[in-house]
Amino acid sequence: MTNIGTEKAAEQPKDATHQVIAQHDALLSALPFSDTRDFEDAARGFLGTIENARINHPQGRTVWSLEPYGFLAAEQAPPTVNPSLWRQSRLNMHHGLFEVVPGVYQVRGLDIANMTLIEGDSGVIVVDTLTSIEGARAALDLYFRHRGLRPVAAVIFTHTHTDHWGGARGVLEEDALATDRVPIIAPNLFMEHAVSENIIAGPAMLRRAQYQFGPFLAKGPRGQVDCGLGKSMAAGSVALLRPTDLIMATGDTRVIDGVEFEFQMAPNSEAPAEMHFFIPRYKVLNLAENCTHNFHNLLPFRGADVRDALAWSKYLNEALSLWGGKAEAMCGQHHWPVWGRERIDSMIRQQRDLYKFAHDQTIRLMNHGLTATEIAETIKLPQGLEGAWHGRGYYGHIRHNVKAIYQKYLGWYDANPVNLDPLPPVESGKKYVEYMGGADAILARAKKDFDKAEFRFVAQALSHLVFAEPDHAAARALLADTLEQLGYAAESATWRNAYLFGAQELRQGMPKTPPRPPMPRETLAALRTSQLWDVLGIRLNGPKAEGKHIVLNWSFSDTGETFVLNLENSALTYTEGTQSEKADASFTLARATLDEVIAKLTSFPEAVAAGKIKLSGNALRLAELMALMDEFPRMFEIVEPKRAVVM
């Protein structure tokens, strides 16, 4: 056996096999590559850009650039990239400021998402603020450069995902934040879901997102080319700002800087809190992320609540009822706009039917007794949807979306008792290797099946061997080669990224990354205090807390809130609006001081010494509680066994 540090385990990416190339050739014949309207639409209205879309952090590091994607200038796809995905990747290279209609503009290609800018009577309304503060500033400056300097009249968040609100601090000045003079408008329950999706499960999601978006893959024909919705996530500074105005119901309107907005609620569609809007002045429809130029995810690889395909379809149908035949342009918060009433309505209808078909046919087959994997093998899109470019699975995919629908209705368990309580990967891997006659026998069979392009089963078999013997270099190398071919064949960018990053980690190990930074103070300030306690609760190490009982009173002088924090039965709970007479310790402080401590701008003892925190009782009980908290790693193993023991 050879260890993973050997040359064999560190092999570089390979060429595509002749079987993968044959799949690509078949797809070239099956899809309407002669239809170039998307390329025309993606370039329409171009006003100007930043060279290579490069955006730098104030300290100099690059947080976004399309320069590494220069290889996409070639029109013909290389053998190592699915030609349909190559087409989408090239479309996502358009970047800069674009006019949708006079008065409505978009900055595209400076992030995975778009910033939409709507001119009012005296200012500009910013819709979605990209992922990073640096990117949002650059996008707004680009708009000012071509349209003139004007004040930001309002900010609108269409939904709860980070790439649509993370840069808000970059478009709002300090005085606007301090005085709330610029409204921040979002759908109802925005904060609840923004926190649960991005903070509560954030550490695990961020690691899994590396497989979804491929940020550690080299950019190139054998590496990361796109993520379907756009290139990738920006690497800049992120801060969450609390909305000041919530849209509560379909039919709600707002007049912002003289411009009327008509809103439609779309909860539990692409995001748990999401909304659409129509602007009568400009005859522009914005369906947020629910009608983009791909089949979207019903369950992203990073993890999330399963999205409701049936509700999604109904919202698109409702949008047609509300605004069908009225909109002359439709722009979303990813990809490029569509113009013309007939084309807009046709796209919405097809997208509506795409989600309805996926939902209904999954349930039909489910009710015939098919499991999720069997449904994925069986279901085929109808011809009218299969040939629509905007229905292709670049981000989501019919083969994993149907599994999400199955999970939403029936959960993870397929009702076969064999799958009720299986052994975990390491233990089952060892037994599979034993049953299959040992590592050498598995490798011999796997090599033959690899040559026959039976990559899916080869990956399954070799994964058992890697989990049983994680340092077996030949097993790791062949599994990496297998995942790589699956990646080359994939039309979905997220599938490609997952396969190729899995291959890279098998060859090179996990990337070396800096420690996780503290949560930004702005984000902390946006959270309710109860949400902070929820975040603290998920860090409590239950086994370490066994048998401990700690009660702490908290009183916040600036917000008037009071809480009792209670550790008991290895669970951290809290009660709001009261204080305990039996508390071990009591603390009085400003909520802003707590934010500073969590953001590591100061320490608890320093704040006490400075008079910012008043305490009574045994303050060491707080230190005892905090000693029970886990620090979550930035990285953990995925394609091989966990090296560290987690209790």
Side-chain angles (χ1 to χ4, degrees):
M1 186 188 303
T2 311
N3 286 331
I4 61 172
T6 65
E7 182 179 353
K8 175 68 177 174
E11 287 180 350
Q12 296 302 305
K14 308 287 184 23
D15 291 334
T17 63
H18 68 89
Q19 296 99 329
V20 168
I21 294 171
Q23 290 182 45
H24 293 342
D25 290 342
L27 197 64
L28 281 168
S29 301
L31 294 178
F33 281 89
S34 60
D35 181 355
T36 61
R37 286 180 299 176
D38 283 338
F39 287 92
E40 295 161 7
D41 289 343
R44 178 171 168 172
F46 176 71
L47 296 176
T49 192
I50 301 168
E51 184 179 3
N52 292 317
R54 186 183 293 108
I55 300 168
N56 292 328
H57 188 274
Q59 295 179 350
R61 66 181 176 88
T62 300
V63 302
W64 181 265
S65 174
L66 295 184
E67 188 172 10
Y69 296 97
F71 62 89
L72 286 165
E75 184 174 346
Q76 184 175 353
T80 53
V81 184
N82 182 291
S84 177
L85 176 57
W86 186 261
R87 176 187 181 277
Q88 182 80 348
S89 303
R90 296 184 71 235
L91 283 162
N92 283 334
M93 283 296 287
H94 290 271
H95 58 88
L97 179 69
F98 298 82
E99 182 180 82
V100 180
V101 299
V104 178
Y105 301 85
Q106 283 195 312
V107 176
R108 304 199 293 272
L110 267 60
D111 197 297
I112 188 175
N114 301 335
M115 177 186 288
T116 303
L117 300 126
I118 299 154
E119 294 178 353
D121 291 348
S122 59
V124 62
I125 300 142
V126 179
V127 180
D128 290 353
T129 57
L130 310 184
T131 307
S132 73
I133 294 169
E134 298 85 358
R137 285 174 178 157
L140 193 60
D141 287 345
L142 179 62
Y143 166 79
F144 289 153
R145 193 179 312 152
H146 291 274
R147 295 297 301 161
L149 194 65
R150 59 187 75 203
V152 173
V155 171
I156 296 176
F157 298 147
T158 60
H159 61 289
T160 48
H161 295 147
T162 311
D163 52 322
H164 299 268
W165 52 256
R169 187 64 188 79
V171 302
L172 291 174
E173 302 296 337
E174 287 285 355
D175 68 313
L177 290 173
T179 62
D180 287 339
R181 64 175 175 79
V182 177
I184 301 175
I185 303 168
N188 186 35
L189 300 178
F190 175 89
M191 281 301 298
E192 287 80 354
H193 292 298
V195 171
S196 66
E197 281 212 328
N198 298 286
I199 296 176
I200 294 291
M205 279 192 182
L206 287 172
R207 170 61 171 139
R208 290 165 60 112
Q210 294 169 5
Y211 276 71
Q212 180 173 337
F213 296 107
F216 292 110
L217 288 170
K219 312 297 187 291
R222 286 177 169 79
Q224 203 260 7
V225 299
D226 205 75
C227 75
L229 287 177
K231 282 286 158 272
S232 190
M233 298 292 286
S237 307
V238 175
L240 174 61
L241 300 183
R242 180 185 292 275
T244 60
D245 182 12
L246 295 177
I247 303 301
M248 303 300 292
T250 295
D252 281 2
T253 62
R254 296 289 188 277
V255 177
I256 309 169
D257 196 22
V259 179
E260 183 182 19
F261 286 72
E262 300 174 2
F263 289 98
Q264 178 198 12
M265 301 300 290
N268 300 314
S269 53
E270 187 272 337
E274 189 151 351
M275 65 186 184
H276 308 151
F277 61 83
F278 179 67
I279 311 171
R281 175 189 287 191
Y282 296 117
K283 296 182 174 60
V284 168
L285 177 61
N286 188 308
L287 296 181
E289 203 168 321
N290 283 330
C291 191
T292 53
H293 288 274
N294 56 206
F295 193 5
H296 212 293
N297 253 319
L298 295 179
L299 182 57
F301 293 170
R302 73 174 189 277
D305 287 344
V306 177
R307 294 153 185 181
D308 190 335
L310 181 59
W312 195 323
S313 176
K314 289 181 177 181
Y315 296 136
L316 293 178
N317 199 45
E318 183 180 51
L320 277 172
S321 298
L322 291 169
W323 302 305
K326 295 180 181 179
E328 295 180 357
M330 178 174 70
C331 60
Q333 294 310 117
H334 291 275
H335 300 141
W336 51 95
V338 173
W339 288 268
R341 295 177 181 180
E342 184 177 338
R343 284 188 66 201
I344 292 168
D345 290 358
S346 175
M347 181 173 175
I348 298 173
R349 283 197 303 272
Q350 286 181 312
Q351 287 271 311
R352 172 199 66 189
D353 296 345
L354 180 63
Y355 294 97
K356 189 65 160 60
F357 172 87
H359 174 272
D360 290 358
Q361 295 307 305
T362 297
I363 303 305
R364 180 181 69 84
L365 294 170
M366 183 182 81
N367 285 329
H368 277 292
L370 273 67
T371 65
T373 53
E374 290 169 335
I375 295 168
E377 278 314 291
T378 304
I379 198 165
K380 304 294 180 188
L381 289 176
Q383 193 65 38
L385 299 177
E386 180 75 13
W389 284 116
H390 63 80
R392 305 299 299 180
Y394 303 118
Y395 191 60
H397 194 282
I398 186 66
R399 290 179 62 83
H400 78 247
N401 278 344
V402 298
K403 295 177 183 178
I405 296 168
Y406 184 99
Q407 178 178 320
K408 178 175 176 58
Y409 282 90
L410 296 184
W412 58 269
Y413 178 45
D414 64 3
N416 183 342
V418 170
N419 300 317
L420 181 59
D421 191 25
L423 288 172
V426 171
E427 288 76 7
S428 62
K430 289 177 180 178
K431 294 303 294 184
Y432 273 109
V433 171
E434 178 187 338
Y435 271 52
M436 289 189 281
D440 291 343
I442 294 172
L443 279 169
R445 291 185 177 93
K447 288 174 182 175
K448 291 179 180 178
D449 284 348
F450 181 95
D451 292 338
K452 292 186 289 185
E454 295 181 6
F455 302 126
R456 291 166 66 193
F457 186 77
V458 171
Q460 292 179 55
L462 289 174
S463 180
H464 288 305
L465 178 50
V466 168
F467 272 85
E469 301 180 25
D471 292 333
H472 196 299
R476 294 177 72 98
L478 187 54
L479 179 53
D481 291 350
T482 304
L483 294 179
E484 187 170 66
Q485 295 303 315
L486 288 167
Y488 290 165
E491 182 180 23
S492 169
T494 54
W495 286 43
R496 176 185 174 89
N497 293 337
Y499 285 133
L500 295 187
F501 193 46
Q504 178 173 299
E505 289 203 342
L506 285 164
R507 290 167 174 159
Q508 302 174 13
M510 293 185 295
K512 300 292 187 277
T513 58
R516 189 182 306 281
M519 198 180 300
R521 183 178 178 180
E522 293 92 341
T523 299
L524 289 164
L527 303 184
R528 294 193 307 272
T529 308
S530 58
Q531 292 173 316
L532 282 180
W533 300 141
D534 289 337
V535 172
L536 191 64
I538 58 117
R539 290 179 52 206
L540 178 72
N541 186 306
K544 286 184 180 179
E546 180 72 39
K548 294 186 180 294
H549 186 198
I550 300 173
V551 180
L552 303 174
N553 282 334
W554 295 85
S555 178
F556 294 99
S557 55
D558 51 351
T559 65
E561 298 172 297
T562 56
F563 292 89
V564 177
L565 201 59
N566 184 73
L567 170 62
E568 193 173 7
N569 297 315
S570 295
L572 189 65
T573 60
Y574 58 87
T575 305
E576 187 172 357
T578 188
Q579 298 278 268
S580 172
E581 295 180 357
K582 299 180 180 180
D584 297 297
S586 298
F587 305 93
T588 301
L589 67 163
R591 167 57 205 277
T593 300
L594 182 61
D595 294 344
E596 291 175 357
V597 171
I598 297 173
K600 298 186 177 179
L601 300 175
T602 187
S603 68
F604 206 87
E606 288 171 342
V608 171
K612 293 184 176 181
I613 300 176
K614 297 178 181 178
L615 59 89
S616 61
N618 184 2
L620 293 178
R621 296 290 272 165
L622 174 60
E624 184 180 353
L625 175 64
M626 296 311 296
L628 303 174
M629 299 294 157
D630 279 354
E631 291 292 337
F632 297 125
R634 193 160 192 169
M635 307 294 284
F636 51 80
E637 294 83 357
I638 289 178
V639 291
E640 61 182 306
K642 304 290 182 292
R643 302 281 176 165
V645 177
V646 179
M647 298 295 292

